[in-house]
Amino acid sequence: MGGSISRWFGFGPEGHNPTVHEIEGRQRAEQAQREAERAAQDAQNLLASIRQEAELDRERARARQAEADAAAARAEVETERMKAQMIEAAMAAKRAEELAQAASKASQEEAAMFAREAEEERQRSRKIQEDAERAMTAAREEAEQAQKVADEQRAAAEAGKAQAEEIARAAAEEARKANEAKAEAERRLKEGIQPGRDPYPGGARCRQTTGKSSLVNAFRGLRSRDAGAAAVGVTETTLSTTRYADANSDNPYIWYDIPGAGTIKCRDWQYFNEQGLYVFDCIVVLFDNRFTMTDIAILTNARRFKIPTYIVRSKADQHIRNVMMDMGYDSEGDDEEDIERRNQLHKAARKQFIERTRKSVKSNLEDANLPDQRVYIVSNVTLLSLVLNKVPKKTIDEVDLLNDLVNEAHTRRARRAVQ
């Protein structure tokens, strides 16, 4: 039964387990596929955006055309109105002429009055005609400008459409090449051809460590100084996937210590696939002080692949001691009064630490839209004692964690045997 540990680890079957190189080959193939799919998706999104913009341009062009048509219609109406006014002016001029003729028959004063009225009428007629001509010119210029803008909008829309089609063709070509690369990688893996490069050059390290190697050692019944134990340290010491057989040959486990997320080689968003966690039979998600987005991503993907997961918070004894210190515990002094007070503080700190941890994990799972899941709070020292068949003084979830792992291992082994 296979598994993985990295800030996550698990265990795999005693029989054939995928090698690191096989996992990495598949990872690179799937990475190429994802990048191609992302490129295709980006191109499709860009194409959709450009098409949308082109459609908006066409809509604006149509709106400009409609404005131009409306301006032309207004100009025509204005022209007709001006024509009517010109006719009215002509009629007024005729009336003025008639008045002038009448004035010649009237007295000198009446003739002068009629002449003034006739002149005023002619001035009004001339002004109306000039206003009409200016309005016609302005309407014609507005219509020509609107038509020009509409033509430019149509040209821009056509250019955007051509660009989108070119981008779509390029994206399709990239997707084709990526699919061919994936097929080639899968063929090479099936034929046993190993990748030709070191997947972890340079030895990049994590900024944080959660003690996963120490937990692997505890599960295997080993101390850090024992032969065959996983290396431990204050910084991330696991730089590549490491396989460890269980120290007890009766246990159907193969433990895998996986490099931690957050390094240059292990970005949170791609950690699950790049580390090949999808091939393991179960995954232990280990956290120390923080429940991170990487933990959420791994739990989400494991749920998608129907891989059992165990959320574990380690170093319980250290955390409880820190809570005691916050409550005012002073490790100095060993008299009976101090021992009694220490026991009381330990009980209160233990309860507070357990309640806060469970509440924090529950809240994080709810925020990530994941179902509630038990968190196992353990001490590596206590876990080691149990594995070595010793009886520890105090336990929290160490016994349950070991029992659940054993039961899951045997259940999956039995299920696989009948398939």
Side-chain angles (χ1 to χ4, degrees):
M1 173 171 174
S4 75
I5 292 183
S6 102
R7 297 192 51 197
W8 302 277
F9 64 87
F11 47 83
E14 286 182 321
H16 173 69
N17 284 278
T19 67
V20 174
H21 294 305
E22 290 174 336
I23 294 173
E24 292 163 353
R26 182 175 296 275
Q27 291 169 0
R28 284 193 300 277
E30 291 185 349
Q31 179 65 19
Q33 175 66 19
R34 289 194 302 275
E35 290 176 354
E37 289 174 352
R38 284 195 298 272
Q41 184 62 44
D42 291 343
Q44 289 176 1
N45 292 341
L46 179 58
L47 175 58
S49 176
I50 293 174
R51 283 179 173 170
Q52 183 178 11
E53 186 63 27
E55 181 61 26
L56 291 175
D57 290 340
R58 285 194 290 272
E59 288 295 332
R60 288 193 287 269
R62 285 195 289 271
R64 293 290 187 180
Q65 184 63 52
E67 292 177 2
D69 293 343
R74 290 195 299 272
E76 184 177 354
V77 171
E78 188 66 18
T79 299
E80 292 298 326
R81 187 177 68 82
M82 292 300 101
K83 287 181 180 178
Q85 290 179 346
M86 291 174 66
I87 293 173
E88 182 181 354
M91 293 177 64
K94 183 177 181 181
R95 286 196 300 273
E97 184 178 357
E98 291 174 352
L99 288 172
Q101 291 175 355
S104 63
K105 298 177 181 179
S107 64
Q108 189 66 29
E109 292 180 356
E110 289 178 344
M113 182 185 65
F114 287 139
R116 286 194 299 273
E117 291 178 352
E119 181 61 25
E120 290 173 356
E121 190 68 24
R122 281 194 296 271
Q123 292 294 334
R124 283 195 298 272
S125 298
R126 187 179 301 112
K127 186 176 185 304
I128 290 172
Q129 184 175 0
E130 291 174 351
D131 290 344
E133 290 175 351
R134 283 194 295 271
M136 289 175 64
T137 300
R140 184 169 54 253
E141 291 176 351
E142 181 181 357
E144 291 174 352
Q145 182 62 27
Q147 184 63 45
K148 180 180 179 182
V149 172
D151 292 341
E152 291 174 350
Q153 293 286 346
R154 277 196 300 273
E158 292 299 326
K161 179 181 178 182
Q163 181 184 8
E165 291 174 350
E166 179 61 27
I167 292 174
R169 283 194 296 270
E173 178 63 18
E174 289 296 326
R176 182 188 65 79
K177 292 179 180 179
N179 287 330
E180 290 178 354
K182 178 186 176 185
E184 175 63 15
E186 290 178 347
R187 181 189 67 77
R188 291 171 65 87
L189 282 175
K190 290 178 181 177
E191 295 176 1
I193 302 174
Q194 299 300 326
R197 67 180 183 88
D198 180 5
Y200 300 104
R205 300 194 174 199
C206 284
R207 296 180 180 176
Q208 300 285 346
T209 178
T210 58
K212 55 190 175 54
S213 297
S214 298
L215 189 62
V216 171
N217 290 334
F219 277 130
R220 299 171 64 221
L222 298 176
R223 298 175 178 84
S224 60
R225 64 177 179 271
D226 292 339
V232 298
V234 295
T235 59
E236 178 60 60
T237 55
T238 302
L239 304 179
S240 62
T241 300
T242 308
R243 181 180 186 273
Y244 298 100
D246 196 273
N248 185 351
S249 59
D250 294 333
N251 289 335
Y253 311 138
I254 300 294
W255 301 95
Y256 288 85
D257 195 354
I258 308 297
T263 68
I264 296 174
K265 306 295 184 299
C266 307
R267 299 179 181 87
D268 291 353
W269 61 269
Q270 62 189 13
Y271 183 81
F272 190 90
N273 286 337
E274 285 205 352
Q275 295 303 318
L277 300 185
Y278 49 81
V279 304
F280 294 111
D281 291 323
C282 84
I283 299 172
V284 175
V285 178
L286 177 66
F287 73 101
D288 183 5
N289 294 316
R290 300 184 306 280
F291 200 61
T292 68
M293 292 306 295
T294 306
D295 301 326
I296 292 295
I298 289 179
L299 291 171
T300 300
N301 282 284
R303 179 176 173 79
R304 184 178 297 115
F305 283 93
K306 298 181 179 180
I307 301 173
T309 56
Y310 300 87
I311 301 175
V312 175
R313 185 169 193 186
S314 63
K315 304 179 183 178
D317 45 357
Q318 297 178 26
H319 290 300
I320 292 173
R321 186 174 182 84
N322 291 338
V323 175
M324 290 175 62
M325 299 295 287
D326 292 340
M327 290 179 171
Y329 172 67
D330 184 356
S331 59
E332 300 293 336
D334 292 324
D335 55 39
E336 293 183 1
E337 181 179 352
D338 287 333
I339 293 175
E340 178 65 24
R341 182 170 181 271
R342 181 188 64 189
N343 291 337
Q344 292 176 355
L345 284 175
H346 183 276
K347 183 177 181 180
R350 183 178 186 273
K351 179 180 179 182
Q352 182 184 115
F353 170 67
I354 293 173
E355 290 177 350
R356 287 183 177 179
T357 298
R358 300 198 191 286
K359 182 178 179 181
S360 174
V361 173
K362 180 179 178 66
S363 176
N364 277 275
L365 292 174
E366 288 178 351
D367 292 342
N369 294 321
L370 288 171
D372 193 17
Q373 183 174 342
R374 178 175 181 177
V375 53
Y376 296 86
I377 303 172
V378 303
S379 163
N380 294 347
V381 175
T382 302
L383 198 62
L384 177 61
S385 297
L386 289 169
V387 174
L388 295 176
N389 294 321
K390 296 180 179 179
V391 180
K393 293 181 179 180
K394 298 177 181 179
T395 65
I396 302 179
D397 295 324
E398 294 86 356
V399 175
D400 289 346
L401 176 59
L402 288 173
N403 288 337
D404 290 347
L405 283 171
V406 171
N407 292 336
E408 179 65 28
H410 287 290
T411 298
R412 293 177 72 87
R413 177 62 60 83
R415 187 184 303 125
R416 185 176 294 130
V418 299
Q419 288 178 347

